[in-house]
Amino acid sequence: MRIGDFRESYEHDEAIWPTRVQRGWLGLLVLLLLCFPFGVNGYVAGVACLLGIHIIAATGLNIMTGYTGLISLGHAAFMGVGCYTTAYLAQRGVPFILVLPLSGLMAGLLGVVVGLPSLRIKGLYLAVATLAAQFILVYVFREWSSVTGGVGGVTIPAARLMGFELRNDHSVYFLIMPVAILLLIAARNLFRTRVGRAFIAIRDRDISAEVLGINLLHYKLAAFAIGSFYAGVAGSLLGYFYRAITPEYFTLELSIFYLAAIIVGGLGSLLGTIFGAVFMTLLPELLRVSVSYATQWAPGATSVLSSMQQIVFGLLIIGFLVFEPHGLLEVWRRIRRFFHLWPFRA
């Protein structure tokens, strides 16, 4: 049982993993992530790759919405910008070590443009403005055939790492997961800086933040730029993962997916972002597996159950938000408190 948590210095108080136990669990997690692709089939490795991409994209949206209070419904479009930038550069022989940051920067620059109205409008009005950007960008993806390939889409050459082509899901995993971990660490450190704390101040009370000397336009645009950069990198990795991309990947449904992920996981928390991304990624897969097992006893139920998957998925999310509005993060905190105080009651 934990009986004390003493912080003896400012560095200790600001440490990301302050205790040996936490560092030990972290080391074990890294070891498991390294060994994971060697013990699973291609399908499971592919799901893990998608999970890493979703974590990166959801982290970017949580920086904008959860930490800064700027609602965005155009996150999928920013991913599309990163993905098509990757396709354009990769087809011209640019190595992926440069393609990833350049794709993120392109999406970040567009995020600054889309974020310009955030000084004048906020809340639902800002959400509508980003929704307009979503529709505009999807239209561009469909019509700018010389760059995006139009409705038919484009193909992306495989990434190369130290002379090896990352063609299958097992090899792409070693590209996606390290990038996801690095970006999560970068986001965690961001909120220990003046910029990250300014984001939180704007979220809590933007007028008071401005009175304290925080430049609202500067920091709101910075939030859009950083969040869009994460989306652009996620879109770039999505391109390397699928290797063939069409505009149908970046619809409003994907933007809603990420918004639901950060709400289910917990707004304003990186750990909640991970929980939400895991929930939103694995739940459809679990439902799909359940349908396949159910058809063994009732073969005619395939069409009925398949059409009900989205309904069940939506009902589970609604039910979860009704009974646990603070997200999966709050569930995790209660579990931690129980074991920290066990065998005593809180």
Side-chain angles (χ1 to χ4, degrees):
M1 182 186 72
R2 178 180 293 183
I3 59 174
D5 188 9
F6 303 103
R7 307 298 174 93
E8 299 178 350
S9 65
Y10 181 77
E11 290 76 14
H12 186 203
D13 187 57
E14 285 295 298
I16 300 178
W17 300 288
T19 66
R20 293 181 179 178
V21 174
Q22 290 176 335
R23 292 192 290 271
W25 280 112
L26 176 65
L28 179 61
L29 176 62
V30 171
L31 181 62
L32 289 175
L33 289 176
L34 286 173
C35 299
F36 176 80
F38 298 106
V40 298
N41 57 28
Y43 171 76
V44 177
V47 172
C49 290
L50 281 176
L51 176 59
I53 293 169
H54 291 331
I55 287 174
I56 296 171
T59 299
L61 184 59
N62 216 348
I63 290 173
M64 286 192 288
T65 303
Y67 283 98
T68 318
L70 304 173
I71 301 175
S72 174
L73 292 177
H75 209 60
F78 297 133
M79 286 185 67
V81 171
C83 186
Y84 283 112
T85 301
T86 294
Y88 183 84
L89 296 175
Q91 288 174 351
R92 285 154 180 79
V94 180
F96 86 90
I97 197 67
L98 296 176
V99 168
L100 280 179
L102 288 175
S103 300
L105 287 173
M106 182 61 71
L109 289 174
L110 188 63
V112 171
V113 175
V114 174
L116 283 173
S118 64
L119 185 63
R120 288 288 192 182
I121 58 177
K122 57 184 178 180
L124 292 176
Y125 297 99
L126 181 59
V128 171
T130 57
L131 180 62
Q134 166 75 32
F135 289 132
I136 291 170
L137 288 172
V138 170
Y139 176 81
V140 172
F141 297 157
R142 289 173 178 167
E143 300 299 327
W144 197 4
S145 301
S146 60
V147 174
T148 65
V151 178
V154 292
T155 58
I156 300 174
R160 297 183 64 89
L161 180 62
M162 294 184 293
F164 295 97
E165 284 194 347
L166 308 180
R167 289 188 170 275
N168 55 41
D169 294 340
H170 288 87
S171 58
V172 174
Y173 173 91
F174 289 104
L175 169 62
I176 294 174
M177 278 302 168
V179 174
I181 293 171
L182 287 175
L183 289 179
L184 281 171
I185 294 173
R188 177 62 181 86
N189 279 285
L190 172 66
F191 295 101
R192 302 197 298 168
T193 66
R194 175 186 176 89
V195 175
R197 288 167 180 169
F199 289 168
I200 296 171
I202 292 171
R203 177 198 65 191
D204 292 341
R205 193 70 174 177
D206 56 350
I207 297 176
S208 299
E210 188 174 24
V211 170
L212 292 173
I214 294 175
N215 188 320
L216 294 186
L217 178 61
H218 174 81
Y219 284 107
K220 284 183 177 181
L221 292 183
F224 264 100
I226 295 172
S228 301
F229 174 86
Y230 273 66
V233 173
S236 177
L237 293 173
L238 188 71
Y240 280 124
F241 175 69
Y242 281 126
R243 306 266 312 280
I245 293 296
T246 68
E248 299 306 316
Y249 283 102
F250 309 108
T251 60
L252 178 61
E253 184 179 353
L254 184 59
S255 294
I256 300 299
F257 174 90
Y258 290 122
L259 190 60
I262 63 173
I263 293 173
V264 168
L267 288 170
S269 167
L270 294 178
L271 185 58
T273 300
I274 297 173
F275 287 156
V278 171
F279 179 86
M280 296 293 289
T281 303
L282 296 187
L283 182 59
E285 300 299 327
L286 292 176
L287 291 174
R288 191 174 296 112
V289 171
S290 300
V291 168
S292 65
Y293 276 111
T295 55
Q296 295 179 4
W297 292 277
T302 304
S303 58
V304 177
L305 293 176
S306 297
S307 62
M308 290 182 62
Q309 282 189 57
Q310 294 297 326
I311 298 175
V312 174
F313 185 47
L315 289 176
L316 284 173
I317 294 174
I318 293 172
F320 184 85
L321 293 178
V322 169
F323 295 104
E324 189 50 77
H326 296 291
L328 286 166
L329 181 64
E330 184 60 29
V331 176
W332 170 249
R333 285 171 176 167
R334 285 204 298 267
I335 293 173
R336 287 188 63 191
R337 283 196 296 268
F338 173 81
F339 284 103
H340 284 167
L341 298 174
W342 187 85
F344 304 101
R345 290 176 178 262

